[in-house]
Amino acid sequence: MEIPFVVTLPRAPVSVNADLMTKDEIHAKLKEGYNDIEKGKVQDASAACQRFRKNVLYSASNIAKRLRDS
């Protein structure tokens, strides 16, 4: 069965694509993350994964179901 549209993977934004960063830029991003942790700017991993499953995986399963049903 063919799907009637092109499927592509999303590209990482340049601002977070380590392949396009210098060593100093990567270290600055990591430092920014560590600073956020120290300030308490964090999310519960379980809740974040649950939101991901709900928002992304649920949507993907709905797309797959619609394709099977068509």
Side-chain angles (χ1 to χ4, degrees):
M1 177 169 119
E2 278 188 40
I3 54 174
F5 51 86
V6 176
V7 176
T8 60
L9 295 174
R11 296 193 181 273
V14 173
S15 63
V16 295
N17 188 340
D19 290 337
L20 303 175
M21 292 182 197
T22 65
K23 185 177 178 180
D24 288 338
E25 290 170 324
I26 293 170
H27 284 263
K29 290 286 185 185
L30 290 170
K31 180 70 173 153
E32 184 180 335
Y34 294 141
N35 289 341
D36 284 345
I37 292 168
E38 289 175 350
K39 293 175 187 174
K41 294 169 69 175
V42 298
Q43 294 184 37
D44 176 68
S46 178
C49 288
Q50 188 175 29
R51 282 192 308 276
F52 174 80
R53 283 191 297 274
K54 179 182 175 191
N55 296 332
V56 176
L57 299 181
Y58 179 73
S59 296
S61 67
N62 280 342
I63 291 169
K65 183 179 182 307
R66 279 186 269 158
L67 287 173
R68 283 191 306 270
D69 295 345
S70 63

PDB file of all heavy atoms in Angstrom, residues 9-23:
ATOM      1  N   LEU A   9      11.270  13.500   7.636  1.00  0.00           N
ATOM      2  CA  LEU A   9      11.570  13.728   9.043  1.00  0.00           C
ATOM      3  C   LEU A   9      11.847  15.211   9.251  1.00  0.00           C
ATOM      4  O   LEU A   9      12.450  15.860   8.392  1.00  0.00           O
ATOM      5  CB  LEU A   9      12.801  12.922   9.457  1.00  0.00           C
ATOM      6  CG  LEU A   9      12.633  11.405   9.414  1.00  0.00           C
ATOM      7  CD1 LEU A   9      13.961  10.723   9.703  1.00  0.00           C
ATOM      8  CD2 LEU A   9      11.585  10.957  10.410  1.00  0.00           C
ATOM      9  N   PRO A  10      11.413  15.746  10.374  1.00  0.00           N
ATOM     10  CA  PRO A  10      11.687  17.164  10.628  1.00  0.00           C
ATOM     11  C   PRO A  10      13.178  17.398  10.843  1.00  0.00           C
ATOM     12  O   PRO A  10      13.894  16.512  11.311  1.00  0.00           O
ATOM     13  CB  PRO A  10      10.894  17.466  11.897  1.00  0.00           C
ATOM     14  CG  PRO A  10      10.695  16.143  12.546  1.00  0.00           C
ATOM     15  CD  PRO A  10      10.675  15.120  11.449  1.00  0.00           C
ATOM     16  N   ARG A  11      13.628  18.556  10.461  1.00  0.00           N
ATOM     17  CA  ARG A  11      15.031  18.927  10.677  1.00  0.00           C
ATOM     18  C   ARG A  11      15.133  19.715  11.975  1.00  0.00           C
ATOM     19  O   ARG A  11      14.253  20.498  12.301  1.00  0.00           O
ATOM     20  CB  ARG A  11      15.545  19.776   9.525  1.00  0.00           C
ATOM     21  CG  ARG A  11      15.566  19.042   8.210  1.00  0.00           C
ATOM     22  CD  ARG A  11      16.373  19.816   7.193  1.00  0.00           C
ATOM     23  NE  ARG A  11      16.373  19.131   5.916  1.00  0.00           N
ATOM     24  CZ  ARG A  11      17.234  18.192   5.567  1.00  0.00           C
ATOM     25  NH1 ARG A  11      18.158  17.812   6.414  1.00  0.00           N
ATOM     26  NH2 ARG A  11      17.175  17.629   4.380  1.00  0.00           N
ATOM     27  N   ALA A  12      16.223  19.487  12.680  1.00  0.00           N
ATOM     28  CA  ALA A  12      16.448  20.226  13.922  1.00  0.00           C
ATOM     29  C   ALA A  12      16.718  21.687  13.584  1.00  0.00           C
ATOM     30  O   ALA A  12      17.424  21.986  12.624  1.00  0.00           O
ATOM     31  CB  ALA A  12      17.640  19.640  14.670  1.00  0.00           C
ATOM     32  N   PRO A  13      16.160  22.602  14.370  1.00  0.00           N
ATOM     33  CA  PRO A  13      16.472  24.017  14.144  1.00  0.00           C
ATOM     34  C   PRO A  13      17.971  24.250  14.288  1.00  0.00           C
ATOM     35  O   PRO A  13      18.643  23.587  15.089  1.00  0.00           O
ATOM     36  CB  PRO A  13      15.710  24.748  15.248  1.00  0.00           C
ATOM     37  CG  PRO A  13      14.714  23.772  15.759  1.00  0.00           C
ATOM     38  CD  PRO A  13      15.251  22.405  15.481  1.00  0.00           C
ATOM     39  N   VAL A  14      18.499  25.185  13.526  1.00  0.00           N
ATOM     40  CA  VAL A  14      19.930  25.482  13.571  1.00  0.00           C
ATOM     41  C   VAL A  14      20.368  25.805  14.992  1.00  0.00           C
ATOM     42  O   VAL A  14      21.468  25.437  15.408  1.00  0.00           O
ATOM     43  CB  VAL A  14      20.267  26.644  12.604  1.00  0.00           C
ATOM     44  CG1 VAL A  14      21.706  27.093  12.760  1.00  0.00           C
ATOM     45  CG2 VAL A  14      19.995  26.226  11.169  1.00  0.00           C
ATOM     46  N   SER A  15      19.486  26.445  15.762  1.00  0.00           N
ATOM     47  CA  SER A  15      19.847  26.860  17.121  1.00  0.00           C
ATOM     48  C   SER A  15      20.128  25.690  18.061  1.00  0.00           C
ATOM     49  O   SER A  15      20.734  25.880  19.111  1.00  0.00           O
ATOM     50  CB  SER A  15      18.750  27.740  17.714  1.00  0.00           C
ATOM     51  OG  SER A  15      17.540  27.010  17.825  1.00  0.00           O
ATOM     52  N   VAL A  16      19.694  24.471  17.701  1.00  0.00           N
ATOM     53  CA  VAL A  16      19.954  23.303  18.551  1.00  0.00           C
ATOM     54  C   VAL A  16      20.629  22.166  17.797  1.00  0.00           C
ATOM     55  O   VAL A  16      20.755  21.063  18.316  1.00  0.00           O
ATOM     56  CB  VAL A  16      18.657  22.776  19.217  1.00  0.00           C
ATOM     57  CG1 VAL A  16      18.085  23.789  20.166  1.00  0.00           C
ATOM     58  CG2 VAL A  16      17.633  22.358  18.183  1.00  0.00           C
ATOM     59  N   ASN A  17      21.078  22.414  16.590  1.00  0.00           N
ATOM     60  CA  ASN A  17      21.720  21.379  15.783  1.00  0.00           C
ATOM     61  C   ASN A  17      23.221  21.384  16.063  1.00  0.00           C
ATOM     62  O   ASN A  17      23.977  22.204  15.533  1.00  0.00           O
ATOM     63  CB  ASN A  17      21.438  21.625  14.298  1.00  0.00           C
ATOM     64  CG  ASN A  17      21.907  20.480  13.426  1.00  0.00           C
ATOM     65  OD1 ASN A  17      22.746  19.684  13.837  1.00  0.00           O
ATOM     66  ND2 ASN A  17      21.365  20.398  12.229  1.00  0.00           N
ATOM     67  N   ALA A  18      23.671  20.462  16.890  1.00  0.00           N
ATOM     68  CA  ALA A  18      25.071  20.409  17.297  1.00  0.00           C
ATOM     69  C   ALA A  18      26.011  20.168  16.120  1.00  0.00           C
ATOM     70  O   ALA A  18      27.182  20.552  16.181  1.00  0.00           O
ATOM     71  CB  ALA A  18      25.268  19.325  18.356  1.00  0.00           C
ATOM     72  N   ASP A  19      25.517  19.561  15.046  1.00  0.00           N
ATOM     73  CA  ASP A  19      26.363  19.335  13.870  1.00  0.00           C
ATOM     74  C   ASP A  19      26.812  20.646  13.234  1.00  0.00           C
ATOM     75  O   ASP A  19      27.814  20.680  12.526  1.00  0.00           O
ATOM     76  CB  ASP A  19      25.618  18.512  12.816  1.00  0.00           C
ATOM     77  CG  ASP A  19      25.399  17.070  13.240  1.00  0.00           C
ATOM     78  OD1 ASP A  19      26.160  16.587  14.110  1.00  0.00           O
ATOM     79  OD2 ASP A  19      24.473  16.437  12.717  1.00  0.00           O
ATOM     80  N   LEU A  20      26.042  21.714  13.469  1.00  0.00           N
ATOM     81  CA  LEU A  20      26.358  23.001  12.860  1.00  0.00           C
ATOM     82  C   LEU A  20      26.990  23.984  13.842  1.00  0.00           C
ATOM     83  O   LEU A  20      27.220  25.140  13.502  1.00  0.00           O
ATOM     84  CB  LEU A  20      25.078  23.618  12.257  1.00  0.00           C
ATOM     85  CG  LEU A  20      24.350  22.759  11.234  1.00  0.00           C
ATOM     86  CD1 LEU A  20      23.046  23.427  10.796  1.00  0.00           C
ATOM     87  CD2 LEU A  20      25.236  22.488  10.030  1.00  0.00           C
ATOM     88  N   MET A  21      27.281  23.523  15.073  1.00  0.00           N
ATOM     89  CA  MET A  21      27.834  24.406  16.105  1.00  0.00           C
ATOM     90  C   MET A  21      29.332  24.202  16.265  1.00  0.00           C
ATOM     91  O   MET A  21      29.855  23.114  16.022  1.00  0.00           O
ATOM     92  CB  MET A  21      27.188  24.109  17.458  1.00  0.00           C
ATOM     93  CG  MET A  21      25.764  24.464  17.578  1.00  0.00           C
ATOM     94  SD  MET A  21      25.231  24.094  19.282  1.00  0.00           S
ATOM     95  CE  MET A  21      23.481  24.107  19.060  1.00  0.00           C
ATOM     96  N   THR A  22      29.970  25.268  16.715  1.00  0.00           N
ATOM     97  CA  THR A  22      31.372  25.143  17.102  1.00  0.00           C
ATOM     98  C   THR A  22      31.415  24.522  18.503  1.00  0.00           C
ATOM     99  O   THR A  22      30.394  24.442  19.202  1.00  0.00           O
ATOM    100  CB  THR A  22      32.051  26.524  17.159  1.00  0.00           C
ATOM    101  OG1 THR A  22      31.448  27.293  18.211  1.00  0.00           O
ATOM    102  CG2 THR A  22      31.936  27.260  15.820  1.00  0.00           C
ATOM    103  N   LYS A  23      32.598  24.124  18.889  1.00  0.00           N
ATOM    104  CA  LYS A  23      32.777  23.560  20.234  1.00  0.00           C
ATOM    105  C   LYS A  23      32.346  24.576  21.298  1.00  0.00           C
ATOM    106  O   LYS A  23      31.670  24.219  22.271  1.00  0.00           O
ATOM    107  CB  LYS A  23      34.244  23.170  20.427  1.00  0.00           C
ATOM    108  CG  LYS A  23      34.552  22.481  21.719  1.00  0.00           C
ATOM    109  CD  LYS A  23      36.018  22.073  21.758  1.00  0.00           C
ATOM    110  CE  LYS A  23      36.369  21.432  23.069  1.00  0.00           C
ATOM    111  NZ  LYS A  23      37.784  21.029  23.117  1.00  0.00           N
TER     112      LYS A  23
END
